[in-house]
Amino acid sequence: MNYSGSRPLIAGRSPQDRRVEPMSNVVSLRAERSEAGLPPPYIEEADLVQLHSRIMGMQAKAKVEIFRSILLLDTAAQHARQIVRRTDDPASKNSLCVQVSMIEQLLRTAREMALKL
C-alpha cells in the first residue's frame, strides 16, 4: 500500500493521476423545477399550510353564518305563524298555514344538516 498522499488511492489509479472528471449522470431536480416555473418544495409546503389555515377559518365562519341564518329564518317563521293566527279569512289562513308548515319542516331539516357540519 502507498501512504504517500493524504487521500486514499482509488483502485486502478496512481497518485499522479488526480484529474477531476465531472460526473456524467447527475440530475439536477432544482433546475428542472425552475425551468418548469415551479417554486421550490419548501415554498409549496408553506403555501399549503397557509391555504389549509385559510380554508379552516373560512369553514368556521361559514358554519357560524349558517347557524345564524337558520336562527333568523326560524324567527321569521315564528312571526309568520303569528300572522296566520291573526288571519280571519279561513281559505287564506289554511293556505298560509300549509306554507308555514312547509317552511318549518325545511328549517328542521336545515338544523339537522347544520349539526352534521
Side-chain angles (χ1 to χ4, degrees):
M1 290 190 173
N2 184 353
Y3 294 104
S4 60
S6 60
R7 293 186 178 178
L9 292 178
I10 299 174
R13 295 202 177 192
S14 65
Q16 292 79 21
D17 190 19
R18 293 189 182 190
R19 289 177 287 168
V20 177
E21 296 179 18
M23 294 178 70
S24 62
N25 60 353
V26 174
V27 177
S28 174
L29 297 176
R30 288 185 180 141
E32 289 178 14
R33 288 186 68 82
S34 64
E35 289 171 6
L38 298 172
Y42 61 88
I43 292 177
E44 286 180 359
E45 290 173 11
D47 288 345
L48 286 176
V49 169
Q50 183 182 15
L51 180 62
H52 181 264
S53 175
R54 287 180 59 202
I55 289 172
M56 295 304 289
M58 291 170 74
Q59 284 180 338
K61 287 180 183 179
K63 286 179 185 179
V64 168
E65 287 300 315
I66 289 170
F67 284 109
R68 184 172 172 255
S69 298
I70 290 172
L71 180 64
L72 291 172
L73 289 170
D74 193 33
T75 304
Q78 290 174 8
H79 286 278
R81 182 63 73 186
Q82 290 174 356
I83 292 170
V84 169
R85 287 186 194 126
R86 294 180 186 161
T87 303
D88 294 330
D89 181 33
S92 296
K93 189 172 193 169
N94 188 32
S95 175
L96 290 172
C97 188
V98 169
Q99 291 177 7
V100 171
S101 294
M102 177 60 84
I103 291 170
E104 289 172 340
Q105 182 182 359
L106 292 171
L107 279 170
R108 278 192 295 277
T109 303
R111 275 190 228 102
E112 291 170 4
M113 292 176 73
L115 291 174
K116 294 178 183 178
L117 294 177

